Amino acid sequence: MIKTLLVAARDRNRLGEILQITSRFGLGLLLAQLGLEKGDEGAKAGGGDNDPRSLPLRTRLALEELGPTFVKLGQILATRGDLLPPEWIAELEQLHSRAPTLPFEQLRPAVEEALGAPPEDIFADFDPEPLAAASMAQIHRARLTDGQEVILKIRRPDIRPRMAADLRLIAQGAALVEAASTAARRFAPVALMRQLGDAVLGELDFTMEGRNADAMREDFAAEPRVDIPRIHWDWSSETLLVMDYIEGLPPRDADSLRAGGIDPEAIASLGADLVLDMVLVHGRFHGDPHPGNLLCLPGDRLALLDFGMIGHVSPRRREEFMAFVQSLAMGDPAQLTDILAVWAEQSAGQGVEAVPRAQIALAADRLIARHGRGRLVLRALVGDFLPLMREVGLTMPPDLLLIFKTLVTLDGVLTAICPDFDLSGAMERSSLRLVRARLSPEHWRPTLMALAWELGRLGEDAPRLLRAAIRRLEAEPVDSTGAAALAPALREGARWIAGGLITAAVMVAGALMWR
């Protein structure tokens, strides 16, 4: 079926490359299981299926060779522990973009177009030797005329058309899979494709990463222990990002940190507080806090890097997540069942049968029995939670799964430098900060102003509404019984309007006083 995709002529060469790579890694049978190949064609195409390496490993290697779009697809799938078994998750979590470095002269035309001049004319010093390379970008160091060390993140030339072709092909494949495979429908392939498209297009536009960094810096402006590189917007664009260079130690092991004069326990506590505040207080969090994106600095400070993957948490989701944690802490299976039922309803795809509530309750009981009323070991909790959801047929909302993945990644980093670190203590501290933030005037001011605005509009409309009601009564006479019954309602309505006007005035005055 994959060979009959109605692809434009411009995508056929890329489709041929994809088929060759999947065949070489023996993925024909996998395509057949997804409904993208007939069984005999899949077996034929999967000549490499006799490869002794496991199917998850071969899939990961194929995705890496297929390039950044497919790597990103695999990274999204790596968050779906509610759908994929542990061996697949473990393999997909190892995905990384592989790309050779390019001579700078191949990047020079794009850099000069973005800067409006050669980099040697803009910067006091520019190093044409790459500092690092990935499939989407290459990094070079430079120094501004004021002495500030910076890096240039340069998008690889001609990568956008190739990734756009990949997205078109994956989108068509997702539609076919959703139509052909009942089992695959639980994955909601079309919705997954939309998530992939948003992620890829966001990472292709470097201005989005820059704005993410600015927003995160604003979130932690009052925290002196956090360093987020400044974006130099005078020279940044969609294809080029210029930011401060920060030098530090990645949090890989405690000994190297101590050798650098850094306290691993202080870093672990700070890292947990930061990420939990991102999720629970600010509603905006770093989606991939692995050691390569964290640097430990003198004075037990932390620098955050690479803001291409940012998660957003709605106020409602924060409430649900805290209720989830609290239900475990208190050993409350009824509350946990309610939360799981809400998540299941939010993530249910078309054509997928709803899971009976009794089955959800059994899953909640099992989770409470294993992890309730005790120390919260996040990696163990998620390691049980997602397979249990898969076992009972529950799927989870993608944004929630990214939160779990982020916290598990963080937990792994922190326990590597501080094996006895307990994330539950940090979660308690963060929940207290969340309560304080909600009680602050700053939190309520936008809501109160919006409410005051609406009540003010009600006050402005009140005369018109009363005149319309009087005209209606005059045009349609009612009997004395009806008039008698209507009079109390009109008086009550008048009291509500008056109360609304008074409340609006109080809200506006209060909001202005809090400024």
Side-chain angles (χ1 to χ4, degrees):
M1 188 181 293
I2 196 170
K3 294 178 182 176
T4 64
L5 285 172
L6 298 177
V7 294
R10 59 182 171 174
D11 295 340
R12 286 185 180 168
N13 290 338
R14 178 56 175 158
L15 178 59
E17 292 177 10
I18 293 171
L19 290 173
Q20 287 178 2
I21 293 171
T22 54
S23 176
R24 179 150 43 87
F25 283 95
L27 302 185
L29 291 179
L30 178 60
L31 295 178
Q33 291 172 1
L34 293 174
L36 294 176
E37 288 282 19
K38 295 179 181 177
D40 54 346
E41 291 181 0
K44 225 181 289 180
D49 283 334
N50 293 324
D51 190 318
R53 294 176 297 184
S54 70
L55 181 58
L57 170 61
R58 284 183 277 133
T59 301
R60 192 256 296 174
L61 295 174
L63 291 173
E64 288 177 344
E65 187 159 337
L66 285 167
T69 313
F70 289 86
V71 168
K72 180 58 63 179
L73 173 62
Q75 289 171 342
I76 291 174
L77 288 172
T79 68
R80 300 310 304 261
D82 58 331
L83 296 172
L84 293 171
E87 62 270 19
W88 279 88
I89 298 299
E91 198 63 57
L92 292 174
E93 284 179 339
Q94 299 181 50
L95 274 166
H96 62 276
S97 299
R98 295 175 177 174
T101 58
L102 292 177
F104 178 70
E105 291 308 310
Q106 292 187 29
L107 301 174
R108 181 179 289 276
V111 174
E112 292 187 356
E113 181 181 359
L115 293 174
E120 293 84 357
D121 295 347
I122 299 291
F123 304 105
D125 185 46
F126 175 77
D127 189 352
E129 291 298 317
L131 180 67
S135 59
M136 196 176 292
Q138 189 160 293
I139 307 297
H140 288 258
R141 285 188 66 174
R143 182 164 44 84
L144 302 181
T145 54
D146 64 2
Q148 173 65 50
E149 297 285 337
V150 296
I151 62 169
L152 278 66
K153 183 175 181 178
I154 307 164
R155 195 172 78 188
R156 287 179 175 264
D158 304 322
I159 192 172
R160 179 179 278 276
R162 184 182 184 88
M163 296 185 78
D166 287 345
L167 288 174
R168 286 191 294 269
L169 291 169
I170 296 172
Q172 294 180 42
L176 287 173
V177 167
E178 193 156 300
S181 172
T182 304
R185 209 163 291 149
R186 283 189 62 231
F187 287 77
V190 173
L192 187 69
M193 171 55 210
R194 285 195 294 269
Q195 183 185 357
L196 172 65
D198 291 343
V200 166
L201 295 176
E203 290 199 26
L204 274 174
D205 184 355
F206 289 172
T207 62
M208 290 191 66
E209 179 178 345
R211 289 194 294 271
N212 289 338
D214 283 350
M216 200 73 75
R217 191 183 309 104
E218 185 177 344
D219 288 343
F220 291 101
E223 177 50 86
R225 298 175 298 167
V226 180
D227 199 347
I228 294 172
R230 287 178 303 149
I231 306 299
H232 296 272
W233 287 108
D234 288 346
W235 301 292
S236 295
S237 64
E238 180 183 341
T239 60
L240 176 67
L241 195 61
V242 181
M243 69 189 89
D244 287 351
Y245 172 74
I246 298 178
E247 190 163 5
L249 296 173
R252 298 190 187 278
D253 65 87
D255 291 340
S256 63
L257 294 183
R258 291 193 187 96
I262 297 171
D263 181 0
E265 292 185 6
I267 291 294
S269 179
L270 174 59
D273 286 347
L274 288 182
V275 174
L276 289 171
D277 279 1
M278 290 179 197
V279 172
L280 297 176
V281 178
H282 302 299
R284 175 173 36 231
F285 64 96
H286 195 302
D288 196 15
H290 63 73
N293 289 334
L294 301 170
L295 289 176
C296 304
L297 309 178
D300 299 332
R301 295 161 53 239
L302 263 178
L304 307 178
L305 309 175
D306 192 353
F307 298 92
M309 184 188 295
I310 293 293
H312 296 275
V313 193
S314 67
R316 178 178 176 180
R317 183 72 79 224
R318 283 177 250 174
E319 295 278 356
E320 293 167 355
F321 184 77
M322 285 305 302
F324 172 81
V325 173
Q326 289 167 358
S327 64
L328 287 171
M330 296 184 297
D332 185 347
Q335 182 178 359
L336 183 57
T337 300
D338 290 341
I339 294 298
L340 295 182
V342 168
W343 289 345
E345 182 180 353
Q346 292 172 352
S347 59
Q350 289 186 338
V352 179
E353 287 188 18
V355 177
R357 186 176 178 87
Q359 202 166 330
I360 299 175
L362 286 175
D365 287 339
R366 289 171 60 184
L367 205 61
I368 292 284
R370 295 177 188 176
H371 301 281
R373 298 180 183 276
R375 180 186 178 195
L376 180 62
V377 182
L378 193 64
R379 184 171 293 273
L381 168 63
V382 176
D384 280 342
F385 173 62
L386 295 181
L388 181 59
M389 296 304 98
R390 188 174 65 253
E391 181 183 325
V392 300
L394 284 174
T395 54
M396 295 286 104
D399 63 326
L400 183 73
L401 290 165
L402 183 58
I403 294 173
F404 279 124
K405 176 183 180 294
T406 297
L407 293 177
V408 168
T409 301
L410 174 73
D411 192 47
V413 172
L414 301 184
T415 53
I417 63 173
C418 185
D420 296 328
F421 183 76
D422 183 3
L423 191 61
S424 58
M427 195 163 286
E428 289 177 8
R429 294 194 300 272
S430 189
S431 64
L432 291 175
R433 287 192 292 273
L434 173 61
V435 171
R436 285 199 300 269
R438 287 183 180 170
L439 293 176
S440 71
E442 291 295 330
H443 174 80
W444 286 102
R445 184 183 299 146
T447 302
L448 294 176
M449 289 296 289
L451 179 60
W453 178 262
E454 291 300 323
L455 290 171
R457 287 178 56 193
L458 174 63
E460 292 174 1
D461 289 343
R464 179 180 59 80
L465 294 173
L466 286 172
R467 285 195 298 270
I470 291 169
R471 285 197 299 270
R472 181 70 178 268
L473 290 172
E474 291 175 344
E476 299 181 13
V478 296
D479 58 31
S480 58
T481 303
L486 187 59
L490 287 174
R491 285 195 297 271
E492 184 69 16
R495 281 197 294 271
W496 273 104
I497 291 172
L501 291 172
I502 295 169
T503 304
V506 170
M507 293 300 180
V508 171
L512 291 174
M513 288 174 62
W514 283 336
R515 293 186 64 180

